[in-house]
Amino acid sequence: MNSTPDVPDVQAVAASSGVSSSKLYETFIEVIRKTSTELPQDVIDCIEAGKKTEEKDSRGAYAMGIITQNIGLAKVKSQPLCQDTGSILFYIHYPSHLDAEVISETARQAVAEATKKGYLRQNSVDSLTGKNNGTNVGPGSPTLHLEPWKKSHFDIRLMLKGGGCENVGAQYSLPDTRIGAGRDISGVKKCILDAVQQAQGKGCGPGVLGVTIGGDRATGYLSSKEQLLRKMNDTNPNPELAKLEKECTDAANELGIGPMGFGGKTTLMGTKVNALNRLPASFFVSISYMCWAYRRQGAEISADGTIQKWLY
Amino acid sequence: MIQLQAPFTEDKIRALKTGDMVEITGVVFTGRDAVHKWIHDGNEPPVSLKDGIIYHCGPVVVKQEGKWVVTAAGPTTSIREEPYQAGIIEKYGLRAVIGKGGMGEKTRLACAKFGCVYLHAVGGAAQVLAEAIKEVETVYGLEQFGSPEAIWQLRVEKFPVVVTIDAHGRSLHKEIEASSSEKLAEIFSTIKK
């Protein structure tokens, strides 16, 4: 698990597996490059819209100006948008006849190579020794969520989530007496707004929230991150949650925290909420905060590893 | 837009006010978790920090044709240095700290007492900020701390920041936290049970 070969030998690994992993390997690297250096258009649209709401010559407008300049520059230079290239979170659906182990190993080796190429920072540290082996490959990194499906193509999505925003995520167990939140939708709303207040500018706002109501502590957080795979401009199919999402975003933007916590109108660009069943004894609200540098990409990929189309 | 140019004298620093938008030109030193703890543990910094600026940053630096080049250099979260920063401001005469997310009471008080400011860079803006770094003059502790944690001596030009803690005891972080907290209480009171 700890040792990563310097030279990827994916073809040898793939020889008996039925995965054309050399092509897939290149595709993984391209997905990583694009994710690290370009924001998806739906996010850019929200940032542009937020920028317009900030008053001219204000600190909020100044921050949003630097943010949009940075987005353009990173794309042109094909360099990481933010130097914290984050937790590497893959969400992979693959044709069920293929070998999951080969796909995982191909992803890990692509991560090591993308790090060498500078698309990812050497960003993964052994929690006991503090050592950084410089490859981004080790226990828990990259994080690979693999699911087989009956379709004949891959759906590979990647999220790079930096430490600043990950650190301001929060999990509430209701009832919560500190904020007076009970076990109902009003209580959930209070949790969400309190999390934004606690985060202030520390999560590199304007941010986006992924929220899961219910589940256990682990599935709640997991699912809250999956909410961040949704497009900014989608509508929650559940009308009650759709209403909650809008109300939370609107109320958060009244707090006046603004871009980077400098003060201003754009504190939150969106809220995405889902619900999982829970135990009668538990009522968790799990909140993942995503910074403005909302790096997510994905592609539909044919079984031979060729990118068919980008998903965002 | 205020231009802050080296040398960073106490007068220039005291003239800055919370909320000012500033562009820095001169030399800054990167320093983050490992370096702060190391200095706090009693080790002498390898460079003079007198009238200097520390930047909480773990840059991506590559060697191109024998020269170090910074390819990404946004700020990292400053609050982790809160236990150490005030002591370093006092002992070594730092004039400014650049970072993101703000700092706490100890640092705010040290800024007021010893004439230092906290300058907030835009988090995540690694490319815009890297463009403002014109040269890597040298590096200290590369072997010891590793690249992101080393002390990089950087010459910057028009490096964009906002003053969020000034040398007069004001902190924008404290003020916005208070006003947003008040607003939150107001919103909470309208949420039906």
PDB file of all heavy atoms in Angstrom, chain B residues 120-149:
ATOM      1  N   HIS B 120      -4.608  40.260   4.459  1.00  0.00           N
ATOM      2  CA  HIS B 120      -5.347  39.102   3.969  1.00  0.00           C
ATOM      3  C   HIS B 120      -5.217  39.014   2.459  1.00  0.00           C
ATOM      4  O   HIS B 120      -5.624  39.916   1.735  1.00  0.00           O
ATOM      5  CB  HIS B 120      -6.822  39.252   4.368  1.00  0.00           C
ATOM      6  CG  HIS B 120      -7.586  37.963   4.361  1.00  0.00           C
ATOM      7  ND1 HIS B 120      -7.662  37.156   3.257  1.00  0.00           N
ATOM      8  CD2 HIS B 120      -8.304  37.344   5.331  1.00  0.00           C
ATOM      9  CE1 HIS B 120      -8.400  36.088   3.555  1.00  0.00           C
ATOM     10  NE2 HIS B 120      -8.795  36.175   4.812  1.00  0.00           N
ATOM     11  N   ALA B 121      -4.624  37.921   1.978  1.00  0.00           N
ATOM     12  CA  ALA B 121      -4.580  37.681   0.533  1.00  0.00           C
ATOM     13  C   ALA B 121      -5.831  36.893   0.164  1.00  0.00           C
ATOM     14  O   ALA B 121      -6.494  36.329   1.031  1.00  0.00           O
ATOM     15  CB  ALA B 121      -3.321  36.907   0.166  1.00  0.00           C
ATOM     16  N   VAL B 122      -6.158  36.857  -1.125  1.00  0.00           N
ATOM     17  CA  VAL B 122      -7.346  36.116  -1.542  1.00  0.00           C
ATOM     18  C   VAL B 122      -7.009  34.631  -1.616  1.00  0.00           C
ATOM     19  O   VAL B 122      -6.170  34.215  -2.412  1.00  0.00           O
ATOM     20  CB  VAL B 122      -7.891  36.634  -2.895  1.00  0.00           C
ATOM     21  CG1 VAL B 122      -8.996  35.717  -3.424  1.00  0.00           C
ATOM     22  CG2 VAL B 122      -8.423  38.051  -2.725  1.00  0.00           C
ATOM     23  N   GLY B 123      -7.653  33.872  -0.747  1.00  0.00           N
ATOM     24  CA  GLY B 123      -7.401  32.434  -0.692  1.00  0.00           C
ATOM     25  C   GLY B 123      -7.757  31.785  -2.009  1.00  0.00           C
ATOM     26  O   GLY B 123      -8.757  32.135  -2.628  1.00  0.00           O
ATOM     27  N   GLY B 124      -6.935  30.849  -2.436  1.00  0.00           N
ATOM     28  CA  GLY B 124      -7.215  30.123  -3.667  1.00  0.00           C
ATOM     29  C   GLY B 124      -6.691  30.792  -4.914  1.00  0.00           C
ATOM     30  O   GLY B 124      -6.612  30.164  -5.963  1.00  0.00           O
ATOM     31  N   ALA B 125      -6.314  32.074  -4.801  1.00  0.00           N
ATOM     32  CA  ALA B 125      -5.896  32.804  -6.006  1.00  0.00           C
ATOM     33  C   ALA B 125      -4.414  32.554  -6.304  1.00  0.00           C
ATOM     34  O   ALA B 125      -3.614  33.474  -6.456  1.00  0.00           O
ATOM     35  CB  ALA B 125      -6.189  34.292  -5.852  1.00  0.00           C
ATOM     36  N   ALA B 126      -4.065  31.286  -6.410  1.00  0.00           N
ATOM     37  CA  ALA B 126      -2.664  30.876  -6.492  1.00  0.00           C
ATOM     38  C   ALA B 126      -1.945  31.454  -7.702  1.00  0.00           C
ATOM     39  O   ALA B 126      -0.762  31.753  -7.644  1.00  0.00           O
ATOM     40  CB  ALA B 126      -2.578  29.356  -6.522  1.00  0.00           C
ATOM     41  N   GLN B 127      -2.669  31.599  -8.805  1.00  0.00           N
ATOM     42  CA  GLN B 127      -2.013  32.059 -10.039  1.00  0.00           C
ATOM     43  C   GLN B 127      -1.811  33.566 -10.055  1.00  0.00           C
ATOM     44  O   GLN B 127      -0.746  34.053 -10.412  1.00  0.00           O
ATOM     45  CB  GLN B 127      -2.812  31.604 -11.267  1.00  0.00           C
ATOM     46  CG  GLN B 127      -2.798  30.098 -11.460  1.00  0.00           C
ATOM     47  CD  GLN B 127      -1.385  29.521 -11.492  1.00  0.00           C
ATOM     48  OE1 GLN B 127      -0.450  30.156 -11.996  1.00  0.00           O
ATOM     49  NE2 GLN B 127      -1.216  28.347 -10.926  1.00  0.00           N
ATOM     50  N   VAL B 128      -2.831  34.316  -9.655  1.00  0.00           N
ATOM     51  CA  VAL B 128      -2.698  35.774  -9.609  1.00  0.00           C
ATOM     52  C   VAL B 128      -1.558  36.143  -8.652  1.00  0.00           C
ATOM     53  O   VAL B 128      -0.730  37.012  -8.947  1.00  0.00           O
ATOM     54  CB  VAL B 128      -4.022  36.421  -9.131  1.00  0.00           C
ATOM     55  CG1 VAL B 128      -3.816  37.883  -8.780  1.00  0.00           C
ATOM     56  CG2 VAL B 128      -5.087  36.277 -10.212  1.00  0.00           C
ATOM     57  N   LEU B 129      -1.491  35.451  -7.528  1.00  0.00           N
ATOM     58  CA  LEU B 129      -0.469  35.782  -6.538  1.00  0.00           C
ATOM     59  C   LEU B 129       0.915  35.329  -7.006  1.00  0.00           C
ATOM     60  O   LEU B 129       1.909  36.019  -6.771  1.00  0.00           O
ATOM     61  CB  LEU B 129      -0.840  35.180  -5.179  1.00  0.00           C
ATOM     62  CG  LEU B 129      -2.169  35.754  -4.620  1.00  0.00           C
ATOM     63  CD1 LEU B 129      -2.599  35.027  -3.361  1.00  0.00           C
ATOM     64  CD2 LEU B 129      -2.066  37.247  -4.355  1.00  0.00           C
ATOM     65  N   ALA B 130       0.976  34.200  -7.707  1.00  0.00           N
ATOM     66  CA  ALA B 130       2.271  33.740  -8.237  1.00  0.00           C
ATOM     67  C   ALA B 130       2.808  34.743  -9.263  1.00  0.00           C
ATOM     68  O   ALA B 130       4.011  34.982  -9.346  1.00  0.00           O
ATOM     69  CB  ALA B 130       2.133  32.352  -8.873  1.00  0.00           C
ATOM     70  N   GLU B 131       1.900  35.358 -10.028  1.00  0.00           N
ATOM     71  CA  GLU B 131       2.311  36.360 -11.024  1.00  0.00           C
ATOM     72  C   GLU B 131       2.970  37.567 -10.365  1.00  0.00           C
ATOM     73  O   GLU B 131       3.799  38.239 -10.954  1.00  0.00           O
ATOM     74  CB  GLU B 131       1.090  36.852 -11.818  1.00  0.00           C
ATOM     75  CG  GLU B 131       0.510  35.816 -12.758  1.00  0.00           C
ATOM     76  CD  GLU B 131       1.243  35.747 -14.084  1.00  0.00           C
ATOM     77  OE1 GLU B 131       1.315  36.770 -14.780  1.00  0.00           O
ATOM     78  OE2 GLU B 131       1.748  34.659 -14.401  1.00  0.00           O
ATOM     79  N   ALA B 132       2.545  37.854  -9.112  1.00  0.00           N
ATOM     80  CA  ALA B 132       3.091  39.020  -8.401  1.00  0.00           C
ATOM     81  C   ALA B 132       4.453  38.708  -7.778  1.00  0.00           C
ATOM     82  O   ALA B 132       5.122  39.594  -7.270  1.00  0.00           O
ATOM     83  CB  ALA B 132       2.111  39.493  -7.333  1.00  0.00           C
ATOM     84  N   ILE B 133       4.840  37.423  -7.806  1.00  0.00           N
ATOM     85  CA  ILE B 133       6.160  37.046  -7.278  1.00  0.00           C
ATOM     86  C   ILE B 133       7.143  37.087  -8.435  1.00  0.00           C
ATOM     87  O   ILE B 133       7.076  36.288  -9.362  1.00  0.00           O
ATOM     88  CB  ILE B 133       6.117  35.651  -6.636  1.00  0.00           C
ATOM     89  CG1 ILE B 133       5.181  35.693  -5.423  1.00  0.00           C
ATOM     90  CG2 ILE B 133       7.524  35.195  -6.230  1.00  0.00           C
ATOM     91  CD1 ILE B 133       4.873  34.336  -4.826  1.00  0.00           C
ATOM     92  N   LYS B 134       8.049  38.053  -8.377  1.00  0.00           N
ATOM     93  CA  LYS B 134       8.918  38.285  -9.530  1.00  0.00           C
ATOM     94  C   LYS B 134      10.182  37.449  -9.465  1.00  0.00           C
ATOM     95  O   LYS B 134      10.788  37.161 -10.487  1.00  0.00           O
ATOM     96  CB  LYS B 134       9.281  39.775  -9.626  1.00  0.00           C
ATOM     97  CG  LYS B 134       8.072  40.679  -9.826  1.00  0.00           C
ATOM     98  CD  LYS B 134       7.279  40.276 -11.080  1.00  0.00           C
ATOM     99  CE  LYS B 134       6.005  41.082 -11.218  1.00  0.00           C
ATOM    100  NZ  LYS B 134       5.125  40.576 -12.277  1.00  0.00           N
ATOM    101  N   GLU B 135      10.611  37.072  -8.266  1.00  0.00           N
ATOM    102  CA  GLU B 135      11.861  36.326  -8.169  1.00  0.00           C
ATOM    103  C   GLU B 135      11.948  35.569  -6.855  1.00  0.00           C
ATOM    104  O   GLU B 135      11.520  36.064  -5.816  1.00  0.00           O
ATOM    105  CB  GLU B 135      13.029  37.327  -8.247  1.00  0.00           C
ATOM    106  CG  GLU B 135      14.365  36.656  -8.477  1.00  0.00           C
ATOM    107  CD  GLU B 135      15.552  37.623  -8.340  1.00  0.00           C
ATOM    108  OE1 GLU B 135      15.335  38.858  -8.250  1.00  0.00           O
ATOM    109  OE2 GLU B 135      16.690  37.133  -8.291  1.00  0.00           O
ATOM    110  N   VAL B 136      12.496  34.361  -6.947  1.00  0.00           N
ATOM    111  CA  VAL B 136      12.859  33.633  -5.732  1.00  0.00           C
ATOM    112  C   VAL B 136      14.310  34.003  -5.447  1.00  0.00           C
ATOM    113  O   VAL B 136      15.203  33.629  -6.203  1.00  0.00           O
ATOM    114  CB  VAL B 136      12.738  32.101  -5.933  1.00  0.00           C
ATOM    115  CG1 VAL B 136      13.190  31.366  -4.680  1.00  0.00           C
ATOM    116  CG2 VAL B 136      11.307  31.721  -6.282  1.00  0.00           C
ATOM    117  N   GLU B 137      14.552  34.753  -4.363  1.00  0.00           N
ATOM    118  CA  GLU B 137      15.923  35.196  -4.099  1.00  0.00           C
ATOM    119  C   GLU B 137      16.753  34.074  -3.498  1.00  0.00           C
ATOM    120  O   GLU B 137      17.885  33.852  -3.874  1.00  0.00           O
ATOM    121  CB  GLU B 137      15.917  36.439  -3.213  1.00  0.00           C
ATOM    122  CG  GLU B 137      15.317  37.642  -3.957  1.00  0.00           C
ATOM    123  CD  GLU B 137      15.473  38.952  -3.209  1.00  0.00           C
ATOM    124  OE1 GLU B 137      15.701  38.918  -1.981  1.00  0.00           O
ATOM    125  OE2 GLU B 137      15.352  40.003  -3.865  1.00  0.00           O
ATOM    126  N   THR B 138      16.151  33.352  -2.527  1.00  0.00           N
ATOM    127  CA  THR B 138      16.844  32.197  -1.971  1.00  0.00           C
ATOM    128  C   THR B 138      15.855  31.381  -1.136  1.00  0.00           C
ATOM    129  O   THR B 138      14.695  31.766  -0.996  1.00  0.00           O
ATOM    130  CB  THR B 138      18.073  32.617  -1.126  1.00  0.00           C
ATOM    131  OG1 THR B 138      18.773  31.444  -0.708  1.00  0.00           O
ATOM    132  CG2 THR B 138      17.674  33.401   0.094  1.00  0.00           C
ATOM    133  N   VAL B 139      16.327  30.270  -0.635  1.00  0.00           N
ATOM    134  CA  VAL B 139      15.450  29.445   0.192  1.00  0.00           C
ATOM    135  C   VAL B 139      16.245  28.933   1.392  1.00  0.00           C
ATOM    136  O   VAL B 139      17.438  28.639   1.279  1.00  0.00           O
ATOM    137  CB  VAL B 139      14.834  28.281  -0.626  1.00  0.00           C
ATOM    138  CG1 VAL B 139      15.911  27.394  -1.237  1.00  0.00           C
ATOM    139  CG2 VAL B 139      13.885  27.449   0.224  1.00  0.00           C
ATOM    140  N   TYR B 140      15.593  28.860   2.540  1.00  0.00           N
ATOM    141  CA  TYR B 140      16.193  28.329   3.754  1.00  0.00           C
ATOM    142  C   TYR B 140      15.393  27.122   4.237  1.00  0.00           C
ATOM    143  O   TYR B 140      14.169  27.107   4.135  1.00  0.00           O
ATOM    144  CB  TYR B 140      16.199  29.380   4.874  1.00  0.00           C
ATOM    145  CG  TYR B 140      16.926  30.654   4.509  1.00  0.00           C
ATOM    146  CD1 TYR B 140      16.227  31.714   3.935  1.00  0.00           C
ATOM    147  CD2 TYR B 140      18.287  30.789   4.723  1.00  0.00           C
ATOM    148  CE1 TYR B 140      16.869  32.891   3.591  1.00  0.00           C
ATOM    149  CE2 TYR B 140      18.957  31.964   4.379  1.00  0.00           C
ATOM    150  CZ  TYR B 140      18.240  33.012   3.821  1.00  0.00           C
ATOM    151  OH  TYR B 140      18.885  34.171   3.484  1.00  0.00           O
ATOM    152  N   GLY B 141      16.093  26.141   4.758  1.00  0.00           N
ATOM    153  CA  GLY B 141      15.418  24.998   5.394  1.00  0.00           C
ATOM    154  C   GLY B 141      14.705  24.075   4.422  1.00  0.00           C
ATOM    155  O   GLY B 141      13.770  23.394   4.799  1.00  0.00           O
ATOM    156  N   LEU B 142      15.165  24.054   3.175  1.00  0.00           N
ATOM    157  CA  LEU B 142      14.491  23.227   2.172  1.00  0.00           C
ATOM    158  C   LEU B 142      14.582  21.738   2.541  1.00  0.00           C
ATOM    159  O   LEU B 142      13.597  21.004   2.477  1.00  0.00           O
ATOM    160  CB  LEU B 142      15.120  23.481   0.799  1.00  0.00           C
ATOM    161  CG  LEU B 142      14.441  22.811  -0.400  1.00  0.00           C
ATOM    162  CD1 LEU B 142      12.970  23.199  -0.501  1.00  0.00           C
ATOM    163  CD2 LEU B 142      15.158  23.187  -1.694  1.00  0.00           C
ATOM    164  N   GLU B 143      15.785  21.314   2.944  1.00  0.00           N
ATOM    165  CA  GLU B 143      15.983  19.915   3.342  1.00  0.00           C
ATOM    166  C   GLU B 143      15.192  19.608   4.610  1.00  0.00           C
ATOM    167  O   GLU B 143      14.487  18.615   4.711  1.00  0.00           O
ATOM    168  CB  GLU B 143      17.471  19.670   3.635  1.00  0.00           C
ATOM    169  CG  GLU B 143      18.321  19.518   2.395  1.00  0.00           C
ATOM    170  CD  GLU B 143      18.083  18.182   1.720  1.00  0.00           C
ATOM    171  OE1 GLU B 143      18.193  17.156   2.417  1.00  0.00           O
ATOM    172  OE2 GLU B 143      17.764  18.184   0.521  1.00  0.00           O
ATOM    173  N   GLN B 144      15.331  20.505   5.561  1.00  0.00           N
ATOM    174  CA  GLN B 144      14.761  20.276   6.894  1.00  0.00           C
ATOM    175  C   GLN B 144      13.234  20.261   6.887  1.00  0.00           C
ATOM    176  O   GLN B 144      12.618  19.403   7.512  1.00  0.00           O
ATOM    177  CB  GLN B 144      15.260  21.387   7.823  1.00  0.00           C
ATOM    178  CG  GLN B 144      14.822  21.237   9.258  1.00  0.00           C
ATOM    179  CD  GLN B 144      15.299  22.411  10.108  1.00  0.00           C
ATOM    180  OE1 GLN B 144      16.022  23.296   9.626  1.00  0.00           O
ATOM    181  NE2 GLN B 144      14.896  22.433  11.361  1.00  0.00           N
ATOM    182  N   PHE B 145      12.627  21.220   6.182  1.00  0.00           N
ATOM    183  CA  PHE B 145      11.170  21.369   6.273  1.00  0.00           C
ATOM    184  C   PHE B 145      10.412  20.841   5.055  1.00  0.00           C
ATOM    185  O   PHE B 145       9.204  20.671   5.104  1.00  0.00           O
ATOM    186  CB  PHE B 145      10.801  22.842   6.468  1.00  0.00           C
ATOM    187  CG  PHE B 145      11.406  23.471   7.699  1.00  0.00           C
ATOM    188  CD1 PHE B 145      12.304  24.523   7.589  1.00  0.00           C
ATOM    189  CD2 PHE B 145      11.075  23.002   8.958  1.00  0.00           C
ATOM    190  CE1 PHE B 145      12.860  25.098   8.713  1.00  0.00           C
ATOM    191  CE2 PHE B 145      11.627  23.573  10.094  1.00  0.00           C
ATOM    192  CZ  PHE B 145      12.527  24.625   9.975  1.00  0.00           C
ATOM    193  N   GLY B 146      11.115  20.628   3.965  1.00  0.00           N
ATOM    194  CA  GLY B 146      10.432  20.242   2.726  1.00  0.00           C
ATOM    195  C   GLY B 146       9.940  21.483   2.004  1.00  0.00           C
ATOM    196  O   GLY B 146       9.775  22.543   2.616  1.00  0.00           O
ATOM    197  N   SER B 147       9.648  21.343   0.716  1.00  0.00           N
ATOM    198  CA  SER B 147       9.355  22.515  -0.115  1.00  0.00           C
ATOM    199  C   SER B 147       8.185  23.384   0.371  1.00  0.00           C
ATOM    200  O   SER B 147       8.348  24.594   0.522  1.00  0.00           O
ATOM    201  CB  SER B 147       9.147  22.087  -1.563  1.00  0.00           C
ATOM    202  OG  SER B 147       8.794  23.197  -2.338  1.00  0.00           O
ATOM    203  N   PRO B 148       7.010  22.802   0.649  1.00  0.00           N
ATOM    204  CA  PRO B 148       5.907  23.699   1.036  1.00  0.00           C
ATOM    205  C   PRO B 148       6.140  24.420   2.364  1.00  0.00           C
ATOM    206  O   PRO B 148       5.611  25.497   2.594  1.00  0.00           O
ATOM    207  CB  PRO B 148       4.689  22.757   1.173  1.00  0.00           C
ATOM    208  CG  PRO B 148       5.081  21.470   0.566  1.00  0.00           C
ATOM    209  CD  PRO B 148       6.574  21.397   0.575  1.00  0.00           C
ATOM    210  N   GLU B 149       6.976  23.826   3.235  1.00  0.00           N
ATOM    211  CA  GLU B 149       7.167  24.389   4.575  1.00  0.00           C
ATOM    212  C   GLU B 149       8.451  25.220   4.707  1.00  0.00           C
ATOM    213  O   GLU B 149       8.704  25.830   5.737  1.00  0.00           O
ATOM    214  CB  GLU B 149       7.206  23.247   5.612  1.00  0.00           C
ATOM    215  CG  GLU B 149       5.916  22.457   5.735  1.00  0.00           C
ATOM    216  CD  GLU B 149       4.966  23.011   6.789  1.00  0.00           C
ATOM    217  OE1 GLU B 149       5.310  24.006   7.446  1.00  0.00           O
ATOM    218  OE2 GLU B 149       3.877  22.440   6.922  1.00  0.00           O
TER     219      GLU B 149
END
